[in-house]
Amino acid sequence: MVQILILLFMTVVIPVVAGGIFTELPWGGGGKRGSAEGRGLAEFLFRWIGGQMCLWAGFHIICVPFILRGRSFGDVVKVYVVYMAALILLSLARQIRFLASLARRDKGMGTDSRISGKREKTGRKADKVAVVLWCCAGCLLLLQLAAACFLAYEEGDDAFYVAISTSTVDADTMYQKHPYTGGPVELDARHALAPFPVWVALIARLTGIHPATTAQVALPVILIVMAYGCIYLLGNRLCGGDARKLPLFLVMAECLVLFGGYSTYSVENFLLVRTAQGKAVLAAIVLPFLLLLLYLLLERQKEGVRVGAGSWFLLALTMVTGCLCSTLGSFLTCLFVGIAGLCGAVCLRRWKSLPLLAGCCIIPMGMVFLYFWMR
């Protein structure tokens, strides 16, 4: 139980607290027709996933130089814990400042709007169709979580990636031993520049859970819920917070995942079978969240609203997270952002955003050049 609590603290509580850095971003809520409960859940999911992107990006920036220099895994753990503590302190400071500004702004306002809002909330009747759809969405999610935890599936890549996480914890080295034989091996640029298995090893080290159990049982629950959190946020924006359309959107997405095993390389198969692998996280979490950020960015540019520095910072961190998950993620995130930037520049005449988007691609493009140089 203590290990499970530590796992939840590391993968839920700390990311939510770290996501407070982006408290001022009005990107988490739903549309104007969404309920207060829906907006609250959307903001929570946005903070959770955005905070996890900060943690993942920081881990990648810390870990890769240590791998290239042949440093020990313990050194990475120590530096990452310091980074995590600094991020939490920065987030708390920003939240206190943000809440203080809200208090000053609302100090002179009356309570009429709040009272009317409460009356509207209590007078609203529950939509039975929406309740049934939400129950179906919850049952399908629980079914997938149970399948990921209690059912076994033969996946050849686990013999490589889980073995890397295990050897990282046991030998305190990173990519210096062959995962199959345990003998010394030359540095592999393809895997060394995308050290997601090392992050799995870090979670195993901090929680005390065996790396194989962490990768096969513990993390799939967290990552699957996070993947559907991204789908919820996308649906919340596309459906405008509609009481029926949003749960129906989730049910359709869950059905596609459940019946997506037509190929071992499909995104649906990656989500349920290879959940704790970096390429699965890239396909199921990073790219959908990046799509959400780009959608919101173009939406705000279309409305003529100024995009703050925090928005660009979160976009850049999400792209760095793509580098952590897979070496191909470095190229895919840049391609994704480049296409969206060109479409926005041509359709919305927002040419000034192109240099900022190019700035977000600096680290991913650097990883691409480093990969070819090491090859």
Side-chain angles (χ1 to χ4, degrees):
M1 290 301 299
V2 173
Q3 293 174 336
I4 293 175
L5 291 176
I6 295 175
L7 175 68
L8 293 176
F9 181 76
M10 291 292 302
T11 56
V12 179
V13 177
I14 292 181
V16 170
V17 175
I21 296 177
F22 309 108
T23 301
E24 299 179 7
L25 298 184
W27 288 9
K32 296 181 180 179
R33 293 176 295 169
S35 63
E37 295 83 356
R39 290 194 296 270
L41 178 59
E43 291 170 2
F44 170 80
L45 292 173
F46 189 84
R47 284 188 56 171
W48 179 33
I49 301 173
Q52 188 61 66
M53 294 297 166
C54 291
L55 295 170
W56 273 335
F59 178 80
H60 178 75
I61 295 173
I62 293 170
C63 187
V64 170
F66 277 71
I67 293 175
L68 298 179
R69 296 182 60 184
R71 300 288 293 274
S72 66
F73 173 63
D75 294 337
V76 174
V77 175
K78 295 176 183 177
V79 176
Y80 180 75
V81 169
V82 174
Y83 165 77
M84 191 165 48
L87 193 63
I88 291 174
L89 293 177
L90 177 61
S91 175
L92 292 176
R94 286 183 59 86
Q95 289 183 63
I96 293 173
R97 181 181 177 183
F98 179 69
L99 292 176
S101 64
L102 287 180
R104 289 193 301 268
R105 187 180 65 181
D106 298 338
K107 186 177 180 179
M109 296 178 63
T111 59
D112 295 339
S113 60
R114 292 194 293 269
I115 294 175
S116 62
K118 290 181 180 179
R119 291 176 179 173
E120 181 184 355
K121 178 180 178 181
T122 56
R124 187 189 301 119
K125 295 182 179 180
D127 189 342
K128 295 182 180 180
V129 176
V131 172
V132 172
L133 290 174
W134 279 115
C135 291
C136 292
C139 292
L140 290 174
L141 177 59
L142 292 176
L143 176 62
Q144 295 182 31
L145 295 179
C149 290
F150 300 108
L151 299 182
Y153 184 87
E154 183 180 357
E155 170 52 41
D157 286 348
D158 285 337
F160 184 83
Y161 293 111
V162 176
I164 290 178
S165 301
T166 304
S167 63
T168 299
V169 174
D170 294 340
D172 200 33
T173 59
M174 297 177 293
Y175 297 101
Q176 296 180 12
K177 290 189 175 183
H178 198 282
Y180 297 149
T181 63
V185 64
E186 295 182 358
L187 188 64
D188 183 7
R190 175 190 170 190
H191 298 99
L193 297 181
F196 193 83
V198 181
W199 179 80
V200 176
L202 180 137
I203 297 297
R205 169 71 67 86
L206 295 178
T207 59
I209 304 175
H210 192 276
T213 306
T214 302
Q216 297 293 327
V217 179
L219 285 180
V221 176
I222 305 297
L223 297 177
I224 288 175
V225 174
M226 187 177 292
Y228 280 109
C230 294
I231 296 175
Y232 177 90
L233 292 174
L234 282 170
N236 205 15
R237 302 300 298 190
L238 296 175
C239 301
D242 189 271
R244 295 184 179 183
K245 292 181 181 179
L246 179 56
L248 181 60
F249 180 82
L250 289 173
V251 170
M252 295 299 296
E254 289 168 334
C255 290
L256 289 175
V257 172
L258 283 173
F259 294 94
Y262 56 87
S263 171
T264 57
Y265 301 104
S266 64
V267 178
E268 299 86 353
N269 183 272
F270 272 49
L271 177 60
L272 291 183
V273 175
R274 312 184 183 195
T275 312
Q277 295 181 14
K279 45 194 173 183
V281 174
L282 174 68
I285 298 177
V286 177
L287 291 182
F289 191 68
L290 184 61
L291 176 62
L292 173 68
L293 295 181
L294 292 172
Y295 175 84
L296 293 167
L297 174 66
L298 296 177
E299 184 182 57
R300 290 172 66 80
Q301 289 183 345
K302 182 180 179 180
E303 296 173 354
V305 180
R306 180 181 176 275
V307 180
S311 305
W312 298 107
F313 184 61
L314 180 57
L315 181 64
L317 291 177
T318 305
M319 297 182 67
V320 176
T321 302
C323 304
L324 170 69
C325 297
S326 173
T327 51
L328 186 60
S330 305
F331 173 76
L332 288 178
T333 52
C334 292
L335 182 64
F336 216 59
V337 170
I339 293 175
L342 289 176
C343 291
V346 173
C347 298
L348 304 177
R349 301 295 190 270
R350 299 290 181 178
W351 301 97
K352 294 181 179 179
S353 64
L354 291 180
L356 295 173
L357 291 173
C360 296
C361 299
I362 291 177
I363 293 181
M365 290 304 300
M367 300 303 298
V368 171
F369 289 126
L370 182 59
Y371 169 76
F372 284 109
W373 179 75
M374 294 179 63
R375 293 280 291 181

